[in-house]
């Protein structure tokens, strides 16, 4: 399982910026083994999808709010199949929950635990804690696009998507110093997630890998 430390090379190299990471890269079966046709290409960027209300089906989904200084724009995050749309919805909130936890400096975020389980949860918390330990928050924006989703033969959800971090930065809470993400192809990552559905109907991440430059 790939476990890169970027999206915060910040924790390893102060001179390199933000994201470039596998936020929450975890163990379990490698989701990349569930191939999605065309998943290595960026594809066209569709219009942004609307936010879905928390607790949309009574499962108690947490309300996740990002600061005004950081935006996560999800483009083309829609699917005509309601089952696949449900995976997209929870996959989006899983990523947003980790951004919110970094901004709030809260590795033990309940929202992160709501959308992750097992080794995926442990590695997500470890990733968030790197920001907490270095005293960094997030500013700027990321664009999340080209989602590709299906349900495999075992019933697990497979979700690939691209994250462009080139306009995102880290900001020191103590000094205010801003470290920008390099404007390089490697700053556009492909996320490959496997999700399992709980008895409450929530699709939780059980594994996640990222491929730097995988959407170029």
């Amino acid at each position: 399982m790939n476990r890169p430390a970027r999206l915060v090379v910040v924790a390893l190299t102060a001179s390199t910026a933000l994201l470039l990471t596998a936020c929450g890269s975890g163990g379990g079966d490698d989701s990349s083994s569930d191939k999605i046709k065309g998943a290595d290409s960026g594809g066209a960027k569709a219009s942004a999808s609307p936010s879905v209300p928390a607790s949309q089906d009574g499962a108690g989904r947490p309300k996740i709010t990002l600061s005004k200084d950081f935006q996560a724009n999800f483009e083309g995050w829609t699917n005509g199949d309601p089952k696949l749309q449900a995976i997209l919805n929870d996959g989006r909130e899983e990523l947003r929950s980790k951004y919110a936890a970094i901004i709030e400096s809260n590795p033990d975020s309940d929202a992160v635990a709501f959308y992750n389980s097992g080794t995926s949860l442990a590695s997500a918390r470890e990733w968030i804690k790197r920001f907490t330990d270095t005293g960094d928050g997030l500013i700027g924006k990321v664009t999340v696009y080209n989602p590709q989703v299906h349900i495999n033969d075992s019933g697990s959800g497979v979700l690939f998507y691209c994250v462009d971090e080139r306009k995102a930065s880290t900001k020191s809470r103590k000094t205010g110093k801003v470290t920008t993400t390099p404007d390089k192809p490697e700053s556009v990552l492909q996320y490959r997630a496997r999700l399992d559905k709980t008895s409450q109907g929530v699709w939780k991440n059980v594994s996640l890998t990222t491929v730097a430059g995988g959407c170029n």
Side-chain angles (χ1 to χ4, degrees):
M1 174 63 63
N2 184 23
R3 195 186 289 248
R6 307 163 150 95
L7 176 42
V8 355
V9 181
V10 103
L12 301 179
T13 312
S15 61
T16 314
L18 180 61
L19 309 170
L20 283 186
T21 179
C23 54
S25 178
D29 295 334
D30 188 344
S31 62
S32 63
S33 64
D34 293 300
K35 299 299 183 182
I36 295 180
K37 184 177 181 180
D40 289 332
S41 61
K45 298 183 181 181
S47 58
S49 60
S51 176
V52 174
S55 304
Q56 59 185 346
D57 59 4
R61 287 174 171 79
K63 181 179 180 180
I64 299 169
T65 303
L66 301 180
S67 74
K68 60 181 178 60
D69 296 324
F70 181 78
Q71 300 176 29
N73 298 327
F74 290 76
E75 299 183 346
W77 216 254
T78 57
N79 191 286
D81 185 329
K83 294 180 180 179
L84 299 183
Q85 184 62 53
I87 296 174
L88 289 176
N89 291 344
D90 286 342
R92 175 186 57 212
E93 293 307 290
E94 189 275 335
L95 182 58
R96 293 182 71 250
S97 74
K98 289 185 287 197
Y99 289 147
I102 292 170
I103 292 168
E104 296 164 4
S105 191
N106 181 16
D108 297 321
S109 163
D110 289 340
V112 172
F114 188 90
Y115 288 110
N116 291 272
S117 64
T119 54
S120 182
L121 174 59
S123 55
R125 284 176 168 165
E126 178 184 356
W127 176 68
I128 296 163
K129 190 173 184 296
R130 290 172 182 160
F131 288 91
T132 303
D133 290 348
T134 57
D136 288 296
L138 303 178
I139 61 172
K141 70 176 182 179
V142 296
T143 300
V144 189
Y145 65 97
N146 195 30
Q148 301 182 59
V149 58
H150 76 264
I151 298 175
N152 65 19
D153 292 341
S154 68
S156 292
V158 179
L159 175 60
F160 286 18
Y161 56 90
C162 301
V163 182
D164 186 343
E165 301 175 345
R166 291 174 294 182
K167 294 184 179 180
S169 304
T170 56
K171 182 177 181 179
S172 170
R173 302 180 195 280
K174 183 176 182 180
T175 68
K177 179 182 178 180
V178 173
T179 305
T180 59
T181 299
D183 187 4
K184 297 180 178 180
E186 292 77 15
S187 297
V188 181
L189 298 95
Q190 183 181 74
Y191 281 55
R192 301 176 178 182
R194 184 168 68 82
L195 308 90
D196 285 343
K197 190 176 182 180
T198 69
S199 58
Q200 290 76 35
V202 178
W203 288 94
K204 285 195 173 189
N205 263 25
V206 295
S207 70
L208 173 69
T209 60
T210 60
V211 179
C215 290
N216 297 306

